[in-house]
Amino acid sequence: MTKFSARLLCLLCLLSPIASSAQNIDTTKGLKDYYRKYFPIGVAVSPGSIKNPAETALILKHFNSLTPENAMKMGAIHPEQNRYNWLNADAIVNFAQEHHLLVRGHNLCWHEQTPKWFFYDKAGMLVSKDTLLQRLKDHIYTVVKHYKGKVYAWDVVNEAVSTNKDEFLRNSLWYQICGEDFIFKAFQYAHEADPKAVLFYNDYGTEQPAKREKVYQLLKKLIDAHIPVDAVGLQAHWSINDPTEKELIETIERFSSLGLKIQITELDMSIYSSKNNPADSNGYTTAIAEKQSQQYAMAFNIFRKYKDVITGVTFWNVSDRSSWLNNFPVKGRDNYPLLFDRKLHPKPPYNQVVNF
Ligand code: GLA
């Protein structure tokens, strides 16, 4: 290298962290290889992604853990009281077994994507607490036992804590009928069905102090009551503006102080700050790519620092092409929240995540 080109390279490195990191990328390695000594790297998949050859190749190169995006949710897997639909979830679990990938089960109890039959009797009246808990028990026993030995961890209860300022638990039908007992019971049933499974409480917005504190109080209550909860899932539907490094560190330290393990369960970094902010960018500009790269770099730097408590990091969807954030929450708006673009190629933030 001439003196001039060396100087030019140095200058480029200073100007652009993206350019500097690109030097060290070994394209034969995938995310999971870079993170082998840290934690499994997972991805949420649909039955479609494991049938698509290009997506399958990407999944097998980069990920060693799968989460069924929708296939194990109550509505998908247990649409009617006496009917389970194993087809899609089994396809994902079989694919994982064939390729020696871990599977996180998602999820056993949630207020969304839950069929109405759980809550109502034949006359259309809300069922009693005993009946609802019995239905929950049947569901959890059947699903967890079906995947015993194949699914190593379960999101047992999803999003039970309220985001409203004056509310502790979300005012869902689960809560209206059972009070907080549905949470306690769900963990107990899951543990009885598979004592070896790692049991998670999973939620979003856990980096914001007010919500974080409520989740902390719930977890503490469960632990004090000797309920078998092992870990907390931070969904991590984040953006290029939040959380801050400080918020993330405080969150990890707060939950791990309870003796719980932590996983990042649904990671993506929206390029938009809110629903309809006129200041938001239009499309994936170089400046946005740079900002997203910095945010991903910050997050993975912290994840690596806390590798003793963080036992997994899972991305929510394979690439920008299949992200749930396209068209949501704003119809017609594309998003670019993941490490792979619509052609399944690594994006600038990928370089930051593997450059350490
Ligand atoms: C929540 C759920 C996920 C998924 C996302 C949106 O975070 O836990 O299963 O539905 O919303 O896609």
Side-chain angles (χ1 to χ4, degrees), residues 69 73 106 110 113 158-159 202 235 237 266 316 324:
E69 181 183 7
K73 290 175 180 168
H106 176 80
W110 192 25
Q113 292 178 254
N158 202 31
E159 304 178 351
N202 192 47
Q235 290 187 1
H237 291 297
E266 305 184 17
W316 205 250
W324 70 292

Side-chain angles (χ1 to χ4, degrees), residues 25-256:
I25 306 303
D26 175 349
T27 53
T28 63
K29 281 166 75 174
L31 289 168
K32 65 176 166 46
D33 306 310
Y34 285 99
Y35 281 87
R36 185 82 58 196
K37 290 200 189 122
Y38 292 85
F39 30 68
I41 303 284
V43 64
V45 293
S46 65
S49 24
I50 55 157
K51 285 190 201 123
N52 172 315
E55 279 195 43
T56 303
L58 186 86
I59 292 168
L60 294 178
K61 176 169 179 185
H62 291 283
F63 302 99
N64 46 9
S65 174
L66 301 184
T67 303
E69 181 183 7
N70 289 303
M72 287 182 178
K73 290 175 180 168
M74 284 178 147
I77 210 163
H78 196 176
E80 293 167 50
Q81 187 163 7
N82 296 315
R83 184 165 70 88
Y84 285 86
N85 171 17
W86 303 112
L87 195 73
N88 289 332
D90 278 3
I92 292 170
V93 172
N94 291 342
F95 175 88
Q97 292 260 293
E98 195 184 319
H99 298 284
H100 310 290
L101 312 175
L102 295 167
V103 181
R104 298 190 81 257
H106 176 80
N107 54 53
L108 294 171
C109 180
W110 192 25
H111 64 284
E112 279 184 31
Q113 292 178 254
T114 302
K116 274 209 167 129
W117 69 257
F118 266 96
F119 306 109
Y120 294 93
D121 63 18
K122 285 199 179 98
M125 305 295 285
L126 283 180
V127 293
S128 67
K129 175 173 173 178
D130 282 353
T131 302
L132 187 55
L133 289 179
Q134 184 60 49
R135 288 178 179 182
L136 181 65
K137 182 177 181 178
D138 290 343
H139 173 81
I140 292 181
Y141 266 45
T142 308
V143 174
V144 172
K145 285 181 181 178
H146 184 85
Y147 293 114
K148 201 170 180 169
K150 297 178 178 172
V151 167
Y152 84 102
W154 281 99
D155 289 329
V156 178
V157 176
N158 202 31
E159 304 178 351
V161 167
S162 176
T163 312
N164 297 345
K165 213 166 105 244
D166 306 319
E167 213 172 63
F168 178 50
L169 293 179
R170 182 188 296 278
N171 192 24
S172 64
L173 281 178
W174 290 109
Y175 182 69
Q176 288 171 29
I177 298 172
C178 301
E180 65 184 17
D181 281 358
F182 80 92
I183 304 173
F184 290 60
K185 292 288 184 192
F187 279 97
Q188 191 187 313
Y189 301 151
H191 182 66
E192 285 162 7
D194 183 358
K196 287 197 181 140
V198 187
L199 305 184
F200 282 75
Y201 174 76
N202 192 47
D203 213 329
Y204 66 90
T206 43
E207 300 69 40
Q208 305 308 318
K211 175 101 179 246
R212 179 205 299 152
E213 206 43 38
K214 285 192 258 185
V215 173
Y216 175 91
Q217 293 306 336
L218 171 65
L219 291 167
K220 183 154 185 342
K221 217 169 173 183
L222 292 171
I223 292 167
D224 290 347
H226 305 290
I227 296 298
V229 55
D230 303 301
V232 55
L234 315 183
Q235 290 187 1
H237 291 297
W238 294 337
S239 85
I240 55 176
N241 300 310
D242 76 280
T244 63
E245 184 172 48
K246 181 169 173 283
E247 285 167 340
L248 184 52
I249 291 174
E250 282 171 0
T251 303
I252 295 171
E253 297 210 335
R254 187 81 174 132
F255 292 132
S256 61

